[in-house]
Amino acid sequence: MKISINNIIHEAEKQETILDILNRNGIKVPTLCHIKDMFPSGACRMCLVEDTISGKLITSCSSVATENMKIQTHSPRVTEARKTIVELLLSNHPDDCLYCVRNKNCELQNLSEELCVTERRIRGNKNSLSIDRASSSIVRDQEKCILCGRCVRVCEEVIGVSCIDFINRGSKSIVGTAFNKGLNVSSCVNCGQCIMVCPTGALTEKNHFSEIKIALQDPSKTVVIQYAPSISVSLAEEFNMKPGKDINGNINAALRKLGFDFVFDTTFGADLTIMEESSELIQRITNKETLPMITSCCPGWVKYAEEFYPEMIKHISSCKSPQQMTGAMIKSYFAEKENLKPKDIYSVSIMPCTAKKFEGQREEMTQKGISDVDAILTTREFVKFINMFGIDLEKLQPELTDSPLGTRTSAGKIFGTTGGVAEAALRTAYFKLTGKELMEFKINDVRGLDNRKETKIKIGDLELGVAVVNGLGNAKKLLEEIKAGRKDIHFIEVMACPGGCVGGGGQPINMDTEAIKIRAKSLYNIDDNASIRVSHKNPDVVALYTEFLGEPLSHKSHKLLHTSYNMRKVIL
Amino acid sequence: MEKVKEILQNYSSEGRENLIPILQDIQDNNGWLSEGSIIEVGNHLNLPVSKIYGVATFYNQFSFQPKGKYHVQVCRGTACHVLGSASVLKELESTLKIKPDQTSKDGLFSLEIVACIGACGLAPVISINGEFHAKITSDSIKQIIDNYKQQQNN
Ligand code: SF4
Ligand code: SF4
Ligand code: SF4
Ligand code: FES
């Protein structure tokens, strides 16, 4: 089929939307409500084009091309219409750009610039809506909301939570929770995927900047930091380096410049998690306890289960997440080694995740008033921190992490992507059950960004069924199968975010799935080239067990590294 | 007592198309949609409560507060409008200290704007629990409301 676009004939495939044809041919039209690879909603009308045959302005994202259309993408009529839409959106906008986290990274700003909006022609009544700061992870500033609906759709279609929707009608429309209450009493799992798609500063993470700055200035505090496996491959592009480049050495150096006294790697905690989790799996299999066992390192998933699947809680591994395990070791093992009082340690982490902020303040993560982790920065906040302190990340001489919680293996490293936890756990479980290492560490069946991956692994006489899901909406489908009686799966990895933590809700705002792929690939490259590829060979982990914990699932391990979950009553 | 469970028994839990009829039914029976009732509808239809609340707030016919003991309806039809129903509404808002669709703290009065109630000869007109009060002025409103308050005290 052929259609004419800006007087040039283009090929169109059957059922292809006009927007897809334009994108394929390098013609840009602005979009707002549209989310790539999701069903078009056609709500904002920003993507208008003109069909000169019918004389109509049509939304390119939701209109399928038909034979002999004559499309103009930038005729005066079209650009004027688009400009008016932006002017209307701006008419009641707070114009807070200079004070906004999304300044210089805002789609509304970009549109206004692109369409040459230089004066205020339309003046609307400013809304006076309050800011919802009740959640421990997400802040909602409704005055900056332009009602594109992207958050609503992601929350429903990708995360399967649906705690927000449009409420009221007409000029009173807002996006909010049931009964317009705070996010904290809704079923929100704090994943932050809504932030990732929000075009403006209406959705942001709860900022932990000031607490950390105060701690860094406090001479009585030893300030310790850890960073998640995915962080070192998610930052490079923010500092003009090659996307996906592993810059852990530069990060270590930067963190010391920022004033942190000790720099640890959450990847160490990931290895520790694997030691505990694989032992738990083996124990459950040998003692014929509840199976399948489901991973517990994603706090978005854990809260989701507590709300929507309380009957499945017994399936979830009792292991704390790598962040909390590292935190717990900082305030016990490390404190003992350094002769520090736990209360004098301020423990910070950098995470690709907003749900980690929630996890950090769960009461199960505090013992006698001492929290495992005191403050949590997202990748985005970390980027701001580096810039704020005038650090040129690229030019820094790479440095090593500190001992005793700094050594990483590549098994812990691949935790950052969907399938990585399962792969790392299987490597160690195999060794524990057979006394031998896997012939081939790479378990291809669980790699890649598919919604769900399944495989069977032969360990001795045992055939282990493994399933990996990312995006909680996909977890739901699998859980329903398990509830309906599926028995061939013994171990399940769940990550709330699409792609796992490399696509986490705390990552740099980037609508491109390409970035997620590049980060995942980089983690697997690290694994290909690593000298230690199994968690049980991490020398620091081995030392920790000899010096402090005894063995996996020991009494001490249980006290410090394991936790419990409870049914959560929220508005579903 | 709120009637919700009995109402829900009349509707299958399949499909969204029952949502609006259910909400209407509850509104008609209870006079309003309580949080509890909306949550129960969600459980019954297996839909997120945010969605139900979203749909319910889209339509003006639903109220989210129980009606007051005295429910005041202000006619905003053309005849009433021409004869000053806008200032009648203002006066009521300030006397009762509530906005349309709200209920006063003591639960005594609630306020609603309605389209023409077919009593144009009496414009501007208000109705309190179905009883019409004709040719309202700012002064007469105060008097009327005071009478109801006194009724309550006696
Ligand atoms: S959301 Fe965008 S346009 Fe609005 S204040 Fe923030 S930066 Fe400015
Ligand atoms: S954080 Fe996740 S669960 Fe919460 S509103 Fe956003 S998308 Fe929904
Ligand atoms: S909060 Fe953001 S994503 Fe959600 S509707 Fe408003 S502008 Fe769109
Ligand atoms: S982007 Fe096409 S209508 Fe919103």
Side-chain angles (χ1 to χ4, degrees):
Chain A
M1 187 169 56
K2 293 193 166 25
I3 71 167
S4 149
I5 300 172
N6 300 341
N7 307 323
I8 296 173
I9 303 293
H10 288 277
E11 269 307 318
E13 275 154 44
K14 235 183 153 189
Q15 288 302 316
E16 204 176 8
T17 63
I18 299 176
L19 183 66
D20 284 338
I21 305 173
L22 296 177
N23 287 342
R24 201 155 45 72
N25 289 290
I27 305 166
K28 284 213 292 202
V29 299
T31 57
L32 208 48
C33 65
H34 187 62
I35 309 178
K36 208 172 155 236
D37 300 327
M38 275 169 82
F39 197 76
S41 82
C44 74
R45 301 190 62 78
M46 186 56 80
C47 63
L48 287 176
V49 293
E50 183 173 1
D51 178 17
T52 53
I53 299 284
S54 65
K56 283 195 183 133
L57 296 182
I58 51 178
T59 50
S60 61
C61 72
S62 57
S63 310
V64 171
T66 53
E67 188 87 54
N68 297 328
M69 271 181 163
K70 280 203 162 122
I71 299 294
Q72 289 293 331
T73 61
H74 288 80
S75 63
R77 208 177 140 209
V78 174
T79 44
E80 210 34 58
R82 283 186 204 137
K83 185 171 173 178
T84 307
I85 295 171
V86 174
E87 289 180 314
L88 282 168
L89 291 175
L90 287 171
S91 70
N92 65 353
H93 202 75
D95 293 345
D96 257 352
C97 299
L98 288 176
Y99 309 97
C100 181
V101 243
R102 291 291 295 272
N103 192 21
K104 292 158 81 187
N105 182 16
C106 165
E107 288 180 42
L108 188 56
Q109 274 183 345
N110 295 347
L111 285 170
S112 152
E113 190 198 15
E114 247 172 73
L115 292 160
C116 295
V117 178
T118 51
E119 59 183 328
R120 189 181 282 286
R121 287 195 304 168
I122 310 168
R123 210 170 276 276
N125 283 338
K126 296 258 185 282
N127 303 323
S128 46
L129 297 163
S130 57
I131 300 183
D132 174 12
R133 298 183 196 278
S135 153
S136 32
S137 299
I138 316 277
V139 178
R140 296 187 309 133
D141 183 350
Q142 300 188 342
E143 289 190 11
K144 290 180 185 163
C145 173
I146 55 175
L147 301 174
C148 70
R150 297 206 302 223
C151 55
V152 174
R153 291 166 63 207
V154 160
C155 189
E156 175 175 1
E157 292 170 40
V158 181
I159 305 303
V161 165
S162 258
C163 60
I164 44 176
D165 204 343
F166 285 99
I167 52 188
N168 300 333
R169 176 163 60 170
S171 65
K172 290 202 183 120
S173 281
I174 52 171
V175 166
T177 58
F179 315 117
N180 202 13
K181 298 193 171 183
L183 258 193
N184 59 328
V185 293
S186 78
S187 54
C188 171
V189 300
N190 304 301
C191 68
Q193 288 303 317
C194 50
I195 300 180
M196 299 303 282
V197 295
C198 182
T200 72
L203 293 171
T204 52
E205 67 266 72
K206 176 155 265 176
N207 191 296
H208 286 185
F209 264 19
S210 31
E211 298 96 300
I212 296 174
K213 277 201 271 181
I214 292 170
L216 283 170
Q217 297 304 318
D218 184 345
S220 72
K221 295 271 184 215
T222 301
V223 189
V224 179
I225 194 155
Q226 54 165 313
Y227 58 89
S230 61
I231 299 296
S232 75
V233 298
S234 304
L235 271 185
E237 62 262 45
E238 298 291 308
F239 297 95
N240 298 321
M241 287 177 265
K242 194 165 159 269
K245 188 174 172 201
D246 180 22
I247 50 168
N248 62 323
N250 304 49
I251 291 176
N252 298 336
L255 289 171
R256 294 212 175 87
K257 282 218 169 351
L258 289 170
F260 290 97
D261 300 308
F262 289 86
V263 179
F264 295 137
D265 192 335
T266 313
T267 313
F268 164 89
D271 284 328
L272 188 54
T273 305
I274 288 300
M275 295 301 284
E276 295 291 327
E277 202 165 68
S278 59
S279 304
E280 186 184 346
L281 178 63
I282 292 169
Q283 191 181 61
R284 283 183 188 232
I285 294 174
T286 340
N287 299 353
K288 303 212 173 350
E289 290 163 26
T290 311
L291 287 170
M293 184 178 90
I294 314 179
T295 56
S296 55
C297 26
C298 169
W301 147 243
V302 169
K303 184 164 187 259
Y304 179 86
E306 291 179 316
E307 297 169 350
F308 292 88
Y309 287 95
E311 70 279 16
M312 302 286 274
I313 283 179
K314 57 183 185 299
H315 290 267
I316 304 178
S317 157
S318 62
C319 290
K320 286 184 182 174
S321 72
Q323 160 176 281
Q324 299 304 135
M325 284 203 182
T326 310
M329 288 304 99
I330 287 172
K331 298 236 173 137
S332 56
Y333 174 60
F334 164 75
E336 238 176 73
K337 268 184 123 81
E338 288 294 316
N339 229 338
L340 291 165
K341 289 203 191 74
K343 71 168 183 42
D344 292 333
I345 301 177
Y346 192 80
S347 166
V348 183
S349 67
I350 307 172
M351 294 286 136
C353 176
T354 46
K356 290 280 167 193
K357 293 187 188 249
F358 168 80
E359 181 183 48
Q361 55 83 60
R362 283 180 69 114
E363 54 181 275
E364 299 89 346
M365 302 299 163
T366 295
Q367 295 214 359
K368 296 192 193 116
I370 305 279
S371 305
D372 293 345
V373 180
D374 297 295
I376 293 121
L377 291 173
T378 59
T379 319
R380 292 189 290 273
E381 289 174 276
F382 181 43
V383 170
K384 288 205 170 157
F385 228 94
I386 295 174
N387 288 331
M388 200 156 71
F389 282 78
I391 292 170
D392 186 345
L393 196 64
E394 194 183 1
K395 295 235 170 70
L396 293 180
Q397 230 17 52
E399 293 177 13
L400 294 174
T401 42
D402 288 300
S403 106
L405 313 171
T407 307
R408 72 183 203 188
T409 76
S410 66
K413 205 65 189 161
I414 56 176
F415 257 63
T417 179
T418 164
V421 181
E423 189 169 332
L426 290 172
R427 290 178 189 178
T428 292
Y430 188 92
F431 176 78
K432 284 190 180 165
L433 283 168
T434 64
K436 287 192 290 252
E437 298 292 353
L438 271 168
M439 296 283 281
E440 171 59 59
F441 285 133
K442 222 183 211 168
I443 306 177
N444 269 323
D445 287 350
V446 297
R447 295 190 174 194
L449 296 182
D450 290 349
N451 294 340
R452 184 197 301 190
K453 293 159 281 183
E454 288 189 16
T455 190
K456 301 248 179 292
I457 301 278
K458 265 202 112 39
I459 306 182
D461 322 322
L462 193 76
E463 195 183 54
L464 203 65
V466 181
V468 172
V469 281
N470 64 105
L472 285 178
N474 301 315
K476 189 187 216 147
K477 291 180 202 131
L478 178 62
L479 293 178
E480 289 302 329
E481 289 170 26
I482 304 287
K483 271 176 66 176
R486 212 180 142 181
K487 289 267 181 300
D488 60 329
I489 306 266
H490 307 96
F491 182 43
I492 300 176
E493 177 202 298
V494 182
M495 294 290 156
C497 292
C501 305
V502 282
Q507 294 282 52
I509 305 281
N510 186 339
M511 289 285 285
D512 198 355
T513 39
E514 216 38 48
I516 297 176
K517 279 193 201 141
I518 291 172
R519 289 172 199 154
K521 188 158 171 263
S522 176
L523 290 177
Y524 287 126
N525 277 342
I526 295 173
D527 184 44
D528 286 341
N529 300 317
S531 50
I532 313 177
R533 298 177 69 188
V534 287
S535 302
H536 50 270
K537 291 239 172 84
N538 182 328
D540 280 356
V541 170
V542 174
L544 171 66
Y545 278 109
T546 340
E547 289 174 23
F548 187 70
L549 289 173
E551 55 186 16
L553 307 184
S554 69
H555 179 68
K556 211 164 186 177
S557 299
H558 262 292
K559 190 160 153 265
L560 293 166
L561 303 178
H562 290 254
T563 183
S564 59
Y565 318 103
N566 290 301
M567 175 175 180
R568 216 171 256 279
K569 267 199 118 42
V570 293
I571 303 168
L572 292 184
Chain B
M1 233 353 250
E2 263 207 324
K3 209 172 129 188
V4 181
K5 286 221 161 54
E6 298 98 297
I7 295 176
L8 288 173
Q9 273 165 12
N10 302 328
Y11 295 91
S12 110
S13 58
E14 298 295 320
R16 276 178 186 212
E17 63 274 9
N18 280 334
L19 176 54
I20 306 258
I22 292 177
L23 293 176
Q24 270 166 337
D25 218 346
I26 297 177
Q27 168 84 32
D28 290 347
N29 271 282
N30 302 334
W32 69 301
L33 302 177
S34 67
E35 282 186 15
S37 65
I38 295 180
I39 291 173
E40 286 206 35
V41 175
N43 291 344
H44 185 75
L45 294 178
N46 202 8
L47 284 175
V49 180
S50 67
K51 289 234 147 346
I52 312 228
Y53 185 69
V55 169
T57 52
F58 187 82
Y59 298 101
N60 286 331
Q61 52 175 302
F62 298 117
S63 52
F64 300 92
Q65 276 182 307
K67 288 213 172 75
K69 183 162 184 211
Y70 303 112
H71 185 57
V72 185
Q73 292 176 307
V74 184
C75 178
R76 292 287 277 134
T78 319
C80 288
H81 178 73
V82 172
L83 291 170
S85 60
S87 51
V88 170
L89 178 62
K90 260 218 183 100
E91 193 60 46
L92 274 168
E93 284 180 1
S94 69
T95 316
L96 301 174
K97 299 195 183 60
I98 51 174
K99 297 256 173 240
D101 299 326
Q102 292 182 341
T103 304
S104 61
K105 279 220 177 70
D106 55 11
L108 224 43
F109 293 97
S110 51
L111 190 58
E112 185 189 359
I113 297 176
V114 290
C116 185
I117 51 179
C120 303
L122 309 177
V125 64
I126 63 173
S127 138
I128 300 183
N129 288 0
E131 192 182 324
F132 285 175
H133 297 265
K135 303 207 186 331
I136 297 289
T137 64
S138 305
D139 288 336
S140 68
I141 286 181
K142 283 213 183 75
Q143 193 54 54
I144 294 166
I145 297 294
D146 273 349
N147 287 345
Y148 277 97
K149 278 191 186 156
Q150 257 163 29
Q151 251 183 51
Q152 173 66 19
N153 291 337
N154 293 338

